Every structure is written in C-alpha cells, then in structure tokens.
Amino acid sequence: MGGEQKKRAMVPSEEVDVSAEGYKPQVVKAPHVAGFVLRLFVWLVETPILGSLFMSLLKRQNGITKILEETAIPEVPMFRPEFPPHVPESGVLNVEEEDEDGDPLARVKVAMACLPPYDPCRHLRVEADFPFLYWTIRDYAHAYQSNLTSPTIVAERIISVVEAFNHKKPSMPLLISFNPEELRKQAAASTQRYLEGKPLSVLDGIFMAVKDDVDCCPYPTNGGTTWFHKVRTVKRDAVCVSRLRCCGVIFIGKANMHELGMGVTGNNPNYGTVRNPHSFERYTGGSSSGSAAIVACGLCPAALGTDGGGSVRIPSSLCGIVGLKTTFGRTDMKGTLCDGGTVDVVSPLAAAVEDIMLVYSAMSGSSPSNKITLNPPPICLPNLSMSDKFDVLRSLKLGKYSEWFNDVKSSDISAKCDEVLNMLSSNYGCQTVEITLPELEEMRNAHLVSIGSEVLCSLNPYYKNGRRTELSLDVRTSFGLFKSFSAANYVAGQRLRRRLMFFHMEVFKEVDIIVTPTTGMTAPIIPSDSLEHGETNYEVSGYLMRFVLAANLLGFPAISIPVGHDEQGLPIGLQLIGRPWGEATILRAAAAVEELCSGSRRRPAAFYDVLRRTGGGGGFSPQM
C-alpha cells in the first residue's frame, strides 16, 4: 500500500470553496520546432514505441496525466453543453419568425430596425469625431441604391486586389479557391436587381469570403488541405451560406486557413501563410486566418469562420476586427467539416459590430435536432435605436478575474483592456465585479481532450487510409497527441465539463458578462523557417488560447472587439463572454465598446478601398 500512488480526489463542484481557490499561471512545457527539426520531431512522434513514450512524458510534464488519469472526479459526464433555463434579456428585439424554419430576409429586416439611424455622410466627413476605418454594409447598400457604384464595379476591384496580393513578394494568399468569372456572375445578378429597384435585402451585393471548411458552391471544401476534395464532394451550400445567399450576399471564394483548423496561428505550408495586414511579418492568428485578413484589409465588410478553440476570436483580435462566437447550437452546422463536434460553431467576422448583427441575424437558426435537445430561445438583437438604451447599459455587471485577466505576455494588453472597463464605468455606469473562476487548468485539459478526440474521430479514417503523409507536419504532431488520449481520458474531460459549467453558471448569477483580453499576446512574428514546413509552438498557442476556451467547451457566446494597439502598433482585442443564448447582451456591450474605442483603432498598413477607389489614402498602399 505504501508504494501506491495517491490518487487526487475532487470534492463535488457545489462544495468547492471558490474563495480559497488560487490562480495557477499557465506554463506550457513543450519544444518549439520548425523547419528540418520539425521533420525529425514528427518522425519521433509517429514512431510507435518512442512516440508513445514521448507523448506520455509531454502530458505528464504539463499536468495532463495528473488531471485526466490520476484524479477522481465526482460529476457525471456532460458530453455536450447543457444549458439551464434561459434568462430573458432587456431592451431586445426578437428577429426570429414564428414559422419553424425562419426567414433570413425577415430576420435581416428586423435587424435593420435595431440599428441607429443611418448617416450616409458619416464616412465622408474629415473630422476627428468621425474617423474613417471601414465601410459598413449599410454604406455599400447606400452606394448601390444611390448609383454611386455597383456590385459589378466593386467585383472588378476585388478581383484586381486578389490577383495583386497573390503576386506580391512575400505573397498574401488570402483565398484557396477563387473564380473571377463566378464572382462576376454573382455581381452582375445583384447589379441587375439594384437597377430594377428590387434588391433582396440590405445584404444584397455585399461581398463575403467563406472559410475553407464551410461548403460554398461551386468551390471544393479542402479544410486547408490539398486532398480533402478527393474524398468529400460539395453538392450544395452549407445551411449558413444558403441563408446568406438568399439575402443576396456575393461569395468571393474560400478563405485560407490553418490546415483542418488544427492550429491558432494560421500557418499553412500548402497554400502559403496569410500575413497580418497590420504587419506583414506577423501571423493573422487562426484558424480562420484568411477570413480575418480579408476583412481587415478592406476587401469584404464581413466573412464566415468557424470557432472550435477561439478560431474566430483569435484572428479577429490579432487583425483588429470584430469576431463573434455564437452559443453552441445557435446556428445549423450542416455543410461544415466540424458539424459533428461539441465545441465548434460557424460564426461571422466583420469590421463593425452592426455588420456582425446583420450577418448573424441572417445566418442563424438551430438545426432541427438542436431545437429538440437544446430548446433554444428566439434569436434576439439589442435594440440600439431605442431612446433609453443607456439605461440598459447602466445595469450591466461585468465580471473580471483579475489574476487571470493580467496573465498576459505584455502589460499593454491588460492595461488597454482595463482602460476600456473604466470607460464603460465612467460613460455608462457599468459595474465591474471581481470574480473567481476555479480550475482553469482543468478547463484547458478538458477542452484539449474534447476537441482532440472529436477531430481524431472524424478524420481518423482518412489518416489510417494513407492520407497521413499528405498532412502538414504540425497537424501530424497534433494527431500524435490526440491518438494518445484514451476513452477514459475523454470521459474524464466530460466530467470536468460539468464541473466547469457549474462554476461559470454560479458566476453568471452575479454578473451579466465575463470580461477578459481576447488573447494573451498580440500577433506573433512568423519564423522564416516555418513557411515551408510549418512549426509547432505550444507556448505561443497557450498565449493565444488563454482566454477563449470556456466559450467553446461550455458553449457560451463570446465576442472580440478591437480596443486599441500595443507599443508596436499591433491590435488588441477585448473579449466579452455571455450567458447561454445571451448574444444580444454581449452585442450591446460590444457596440458601446466600439463607440468608446473608435478613436483608438487604426486602419492596417495593407488596406484597399474597393467601394470608393480614390487616389492617395483610398488606394492599396501596403507598407512593409
């Protein structure tokens, strides 16, 4: 008995003394390898006996074994997010029709009523109070309706920019699949509708890119690989794409991404690594890297991405735009490569909160099965046009776990985010409440085993069938880790998921929103030896994913809003995490943050004005 290893036993979640819980800074112990060394590293990982021993050592060094194998967890497993009864939100409009399937056109019409009155001169004024950053969806619609330009003209400008990006040194491979003639055809149809005075909606003629793991005809869906189109044929649009298309959205092509979404930098040796429009030597973040860069450089006012581990919010933060992660089950995932997971959602990225609201209203709507199992409340949006909107803001309570909040690589990040909280308090009366969120280390491991096991389950047939060597090296490294998890590890992760849901819902009894920086670091530099073969850098991944995982593991809605820049001029994002189905609340707060920080945002060095192609500052002038 004396030689037995003592097993750690957790007390039931409802008996945990949260006030006694101390914060444990995350320390990732793993080698950073790239280039030829990465090839040797992958060989080690994939060697049957040596690989198992190495992964066992890696997991033990990072506390994964202790948490998933050497701890008795009393809770029963939660194999997907289970939500308590919905808490009604104040000052919102129901944008969902009563019919079972909903009508995207009707939802967009209601969403328009939620927005403040439109001022067509706002971006034409050269005044400090109205700094121009990006054209909004309503700007495009106004330009089309006023015959100032047309979707056809804008399409030609986009085509020229995409081709210019592809031929630049270094290249900027924004899109994996792109067909100029297909783009011209869609634009011509939209132009004709405007000429006839019959646009389908405010989204008619709005250009959007679609991440390469979401089906969008006539393009293949490769998920950033070179081969997935050979084993999976795209026969129809994903449900979210179909809903946007019926509103008149024009899809420019499939955006570049981190291969199979298995990374958060955006590095992709297959098609080239997308570079950050704010600094070409730095990553965009991933895995929705191309979607974020396309919006940030002005080509499209919005794009679609998927978020299983911060993959919409991380690149949005690093590129200085807005990224929404919806509640799990809020949007039908049919037609996406990650439609069988329990942590993934498909969500919009945009340059402005109002554009997020319009796209979200059109694309959302739960799948038939999720309507039965999750019982989602109607889709709601904050009524930003109401006269007493500030009264609703004044009642908001923001939860801040200071030790976690300040665990960042640069104090510029936490200082800027703190400054925004102070502005929310002084301008709107929002109250910041100190909170504690226990077992964050356990949450990281529960998310890792959950997403890893789900990815392995969906891709293992191809991996086993000879496709392993066609994957990039960092993805093969991830597969090596995922393969080391057992069924017992997975169940332990789901037991932790239930504990963590309890802790967070207890916090949501006291606050409306949990606030954090979006990422623990700003855009990292792209190592030159990573471009050809990729890299594995778990320390960087840890910083980028530090604050985003709760929303994925527990299914909460969350949004990243740009709030300024660090000393190097790199964007900083603030994250707002809401209660289940609480998109309207975080969107309201995000709109307030956006207004307060409008003077702190800067347009990226690589920017193209496709709506009003003027000389000088309106043209394409990447500064590298």
Side-chain angles (χ1 to χ4, degrees):
M1 292 292 290
E4 282 188 16
Q5 186 173 10
K6 186 176 181 180
K7 194 174 184 72
R8 183 172 71 126
M10 290 179 164
V11 300
S13 51
E14 62 270 17
E15 297 177 16
V16 172
D17 181 3
V18 174
S19 63
E21 292 288 315
Y23 178 72
K24 300 175 184 177
Q26 181 182 1
V27 179
V28 178
K29 298 176 182 178
H32 172 207
V33 290
F36 178 72
V37 178
L38 180 57
R39 282 192 173 278
L40 293 177
F41 185 71
V42 171
W43 173 84
L44 170 64
V45 168
E46 293 180 345
T47 301
I49 297 177
L50 290 176
S52 296
L53 291 173
F54 176 77
M55 282 301 172
S56 178
L57 175 63
L58 188 68
K59 290 193 296 182
R60 186 164 291 280
Q61 285 182 331
N62 286 278
I64 298 173
T65 303
K66 178 181 178 181
I67 291 171
L68 297 180
E69 297 181 14
E70 298 171 359
T71 301
I73 308 167
E75 281 72 21
V76 298
M78 178 188 289
F79 290 106
R80 65 194 307 231
E82 298 173 10
F83 302 132
H86 172 62
V87 177
E89 299 169 278
S90 302
V92 302
L93 287 180
N94 176 2
V95 301
E96 199 164 22
E97 291 293 288
E98 293 181 0
D99 57 299
E100 183 177 350
D101 296 323
D103 178 4
L105 291 169
R107 291 201 298 265
V108 171
K109 186 175 181 180
V110 177
M112 283 286 287
C114 293
L115 302 180
Y118 174 66
D119 178 4
C121 297
R122 182 178 178 89
H123 290 158
L124 300 178
R125 296 175 183 162
V126 187
E127 300 175 12
D129 291 340
F130 295 92
F132 170 65
L133 287 168
Y134 293 97
W135 299 112
T136 67
I137 287 172
R138 290 195 289 178
D139 289 328
Y140 277 85
H142 172 75
Y144 297 153
Q145 291 168 339
S146 304
N147 203 28
L148 299 175
T149 189
S150 70
T152 293
I153 293 173
V154 175
E156 292 301 326
R157 294 171 182 168
I158 291 173
I159 291 169
S160 67
V161 175
V162 171
E163 292 174 346
F165 270 137
N166 289 338
H167 291 94
K168 292 195 69 64
K169 299 294 182 183
S171 65
M172 181 71 163
L174 297 171
L175 297 166
I176 288 176
S177 297
F178 176 65
N179 185 331
E181 292 309 311
E182 169 64 21
L183 181 55
R184 290 184 175 109
K185 183 175 78 171
Q186 294 179 70
S190 179
T191 298
Q192 185 60 36
R193 291 192 291 270
Y194 274 101
L195 288 173
E196 295 172 356
K198 298 178 180 179
L200 298 174
S201 75
V202 70
L203 294 175
D204 204 337
I206 300 305
F207 294 84
M208 290 182 62
V210 179
K211 187 179 179 182
D212 194 37
D213 61 353
V214 180
D215 291 345
C216 179
C217 293
Y219 302 107
T221 295
N222 275 311
T225 72
T226 59
W227 54 268
F228 216 86
H229 65 285
K230 299 175 184 177
V231 299
R232 182 180 180 275
T233 303
V234 175
K235 298 179 180 179
R236 60 185 63 86
D237 288 336
V239 171
C240 57
V241 170
S242 176
R243 289 169 175 166
L244 289 165
R245 199 187 291 275
C246 83
C247 295
V249 168
I250 298 173
F251 296 102
I252 70 170
K254 303 302 289 295
N256 204 342
M257 61 178 285
H258 204 117
E259 188 178 36
L260 295 174
M262 292 171 64
V264 291
T265 61
N267 185 298
N268 188 318
N270 298 324
Y271 298 98
T273 295
V274 181
R275 295 171 179 271
N276 196 310
H278 288 267
S279 177
F280 264 41
E281 73 274 10
R282 294 179 181 270
Y283 282 122
T284 57
S287 60
S288 306
S289 51
S291 296
I294 284 168
V295 173
C297 70
L299 282 192
C300 298
L304 286 186
T306 55
D307 192 317
S311 290
V312 162
R313 289 160 289 152
I314 290 170
S316 294
S317 178
L318 269 52
C319 291
I321 61 172
V322 185
L324 173 68
K325 186 261 167 198
T326 61
T327 304
F328 175 78
R330 176 59 92 185
T331 297
D332 196 328
M333 296 292 288
K334 186 176 182 181
T336 68
L337 295 188
C338 48
D339 62 353
T342 66
V343 297
D344 300 272
V345 299
V346 59
S347 289
L349 307 86
V353 173
E354 71 169 62
D355 292 347
I356 288 282
M357 290 171 59
L358 292 172
V359 176
Y360 163 69
S361 67
M363 65 180 283
S364 294
S366 302
S367 68
S369 61
N370 280 336
K371 286 181 179 178
I372 296 172
T373 57
L374 294 176
N375 192 28
I379 300 167
C380 293
L381 288 176
N383 188 355
L384 302 181
S385 65
M386 58 192 286
S387 58
D388 58 345
K389 60 182 179 181
F390 297 128
D391 292 336
V392 181
L393 277 172
R394 191 176 298 116
S395 67
L396 284 183
K397 291 185 178 180
L398 311 176
K400 176 190 175 187
Y401 185 12
S402 291
E403 290 181 278
W404 187 35
F405 190 99
N406 295 324
D407 187 10
V408 292
K409 191 174 180 66
S410 167
S411 59
D412 290 353
I413 297 172
S414 52
K416 176 58 69 173
C417 291
D418 252 333
E419 180 184 325
V420 175
L421 298 185
N422 291 333
M423 288 193 294
L424 285 170
S425 175
S426 59
N427 285 271
Y428 300 118
C430 300
Q431 182 182 352
T432 300
V433 178
E434 186 64 32
I435 61 172
T436 298
L437 289 167
E439 301 184 10
L440 293 176
E441 183 180 1
E442 285 79 357
M443 181 169 65
R444 289 188 288 268
N445 287 290
H447 176 268
L448 177 63
V449 71
S450 298
I451 193 171
S453 299
E454 291 168 7
V455 166
L456 186 65
C457 182
S458 62
L459 297 175
N460 208 33
Y462 312 115
Y463 186 84
K464 294 280 190 181
N465 199 29
R467 296 290 180 182
R468 174 179 60 83
T469 57
E470 298 180 60
L471 294 169
S472 58
L473 297 175
D474 72 316
V475 171
R476 289 165 66 178
T477 302
S478 296
F479 263 102
L481 175 60
F482 299 161
K483 285 169 60 182
S484 73
F485 291 128
S486 67
N489 292 159
Y490 180 74
V491 173
Q494 309 322 299
R495 290 176 181 270
L496 291 172
R497 189 181 334 214
R498 188 171 297 279
R499 287 178 67 85
L500 292 156
M501 179 67 84
F502 175 83
F503 295 140
H504 280 74
M505 292 313 302
E506 286 296 293
V507 167
F508 278 126
K509 291 178 181 178
E510 306 299 325
V511 302
D512 302 294
I513 295 172
I514 297 171
V515 291
T516 71
T518 305
T519 59
M521 68 185 300
T522 50
I525 292 176
I526 305 171
S528 58
D529 58 352
S530 74
L531 293 173
E532 185 176 355
H533 299 296
E535 67 168 326
T536 296
N537 191 335
Y538 288 111
E539 181 182 4
V540 164
S541 298
Y543 273 115
L544 293 179
M545 300 176 73
R546 177 148 301 167
F547 303 106
V548 296
L549 299 181
N552 294 107
L553 182 68
L554 306 178
F556 299 145
I559 191 168
S560 176
I561 319 101
V563 293
H565 302 256
D566 66 7
E567 289 185 349
Q568 301 175 83
L570 301 172
I572 295 170
L574 177 74
Q575 179 182 224
L576 309 175
I577 305 172
R579 295 186 181 94
W581 315 115
E583 284 87 355
T585 296
I586 62 172
L587 285 166
R588 181 189 307 282
V593 170
E594 181 180 61
E595 186 172 354
L596 291 171
C597 297
S598 61
S600 301
R601 293 177 66 184
R602 305 172 199 161
R603 209 165 59 183
F607 179 83
Y608 196 87
D609 185 344
V610 296
L611 183 59
R612 185 187 60 185
R613 192 175 187 175
T614 59
F620 176 51
S621 56
Q623 301 162 14
M624 292 178 279

